[in-house]
Structures are given as C-alpha cells and as structure tokens.
C-alpha cells in the first residue's frame, strides 16, 4: 500500500472550495468575539465509517471489517488493508471501490473567518477540530507559530 490522502482548499474573497481524499481534514476557525473562536469542519473524513462510503465499497465487491478498538478496514483482493475509502495511488484497491475522486464542498466566507487549517490524520488523531482552532487563536496572528504549535501538540 503506497497511496496518500489529500486535502485542498481554493479560497476566493467570498467562498472556499474544499477537496478531500481520505482522512485529511479542512477546518475553519471563526471569531465569535475577541476571546472565542469556533471550529467548523469544511470536509468530512472519507472512510468506511460513513454509510455512503461503505455502501460504495461493498457494492463494488469490497469487504469492510471492524475489530474492537480499530478503524474499519477495506480489504483488497491480495489481502492488504486500507482505512480510507478515497485516496491517491492505492491502485490495488480500485477494484474494491476505493476511488481517487475527491469529495468537493463549498462554503461562504465571512469577515469573522480568521484561519483555515488543512492537516492530515497526524493532527486529527491527537486533537479535535476545536482544539486545533484554539491552538491557532493562542498564537494569533503569527501563522508560523500557530502551525508549529499544531505540530508540537
């Protein structure tokens, strides 16, 4: 297995479009007031936990298993396992419903939107979206320090 996940955002003055493959995530941080920022997920993890993703996999002949305490896994015909239902480069999983087609969403932007976090599961396995936004708030307005603080957490 040698694929990867991806998260991409195209930001225009009044809208943001997000493309998601796998368990990378895009989160918007918006100001409620000077001391309160709120997280909004602009993407959803593309895994077989989502009913529509699992259905696509199973309709393509894929097998999804769940064991206690682990993420659901998609099995390839050569018995390799993958935990995401959309990815780039996992060619051995194409025949069991894993796709490289990104899930695309779009959202309006407002003056209260102050940060956009694009990160892989290396961040999201250790903190919630709200915790990540709070990390950015405490390091505002320095994006360099905020991104390093996310990595250090």
């Amino acid at each position: 297995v040698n694929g990867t996940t991806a998260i991409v955002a195209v930001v225009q003055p009044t809208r943001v479009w997000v493309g998601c493959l796998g368990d990378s995530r895009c989160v918007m941080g918006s100001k409620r007031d000077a001391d309160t920022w709120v997280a909004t997920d602009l993407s959803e993890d593309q895994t077989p936990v989502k009913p529509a993703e699992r259905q696509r996999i199973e309709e393509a002949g894929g097998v999804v298993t769940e064991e206690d305490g682990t993420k659901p896994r998609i099995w390839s015909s050569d018995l390799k396992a993958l935990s995401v239902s959309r990815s780039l480069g996992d060619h051995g999983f194409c025949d069991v419903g894993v796709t490289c087609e990104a899930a695309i969403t779009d959202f309006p932007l407002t003056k209260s939107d102050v940060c956009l976090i694009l990160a892989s599961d290396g961040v999201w396995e250790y903190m919630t979206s709200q915790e990540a936004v709070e990390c950015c708030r405490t390091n505002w307005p320095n994006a360099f320090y905020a991104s390093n603080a996310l990595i250090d957490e």
Side-chain angles (χ1 to χ4, degrees):
V1 180
N2 55 7
T4 189
T5 67
I7 191 77
V8 174
V10 176
V11 181
Q12 294 290 317
T14 61
R15 294 199 78 73
V16 60
W17 289 265
V18 177
C20 179
L21 287 165
D23 52 5
S24 293
R25 189 177 314 150
C26 180
V27 175
M28 176 68 72
S30 304
K31 281 187 182 182
R32 277 270 163 81
D33 56 50
D35 296 323
T36 307
W37 289 14
V38 177
T40 303
D41 290 347
L42 301 188
S43 64
E44 291 184 337
D45 295 355
Q46 302 301 313
T47 70
V49 170
K50 291 178 59 182
E53 293 295 297
R54 184 177 189 136
Q55 180 179 354
R56 188 186 71 252
I57 298 297
E58 291 174 343
E59 285 177 356
V63 175
V64 178
T65 61
E66 296 182 55
E67 296 178 20
D68 293 336
T70 64
K71 295 178 182 180
R73 301 274 185 218
I74 302 163
W75 293 90
S76 68
S77 56
D78 60 352
L79 300 180
K80 293 181 181 172
L82 187 65
S83 63
V84 294
S85 55
R86 295 173 188 253
S87 67
L88 292 173
D90 285 312
H91 304 293
F93 289 86
C94 294
D95 61 339
V96 294
V98 174
T99 180
C100 62
E101 182 178 327
I104 307 292
T105 54
D106 71 295
F107 298 87
L109 291 175
T110 68
K111 292 182 192 245
S112 64
D113 298 329
V114 290
C115 73
L116 194 61
I117 304 166
L118 288 83
S120 71
D121 64 333
V123 168
W124 307 122
E125 286 181 355
Y126 298 99
M127 67 175 59
T128 66
S129 298
Q130 186 59 46
E131 289 169 336
V133 166
E134 184 61 22
C135 187
C136 291
R137 187 193 65 77
T138 59
N139 288 282
W140 185 258
N142 192 314
F144 177 80
Y145 290 138
S147 61
N148 281 328
L150 287 171
I151 292 167
D152 291 342
E153 287 291 320

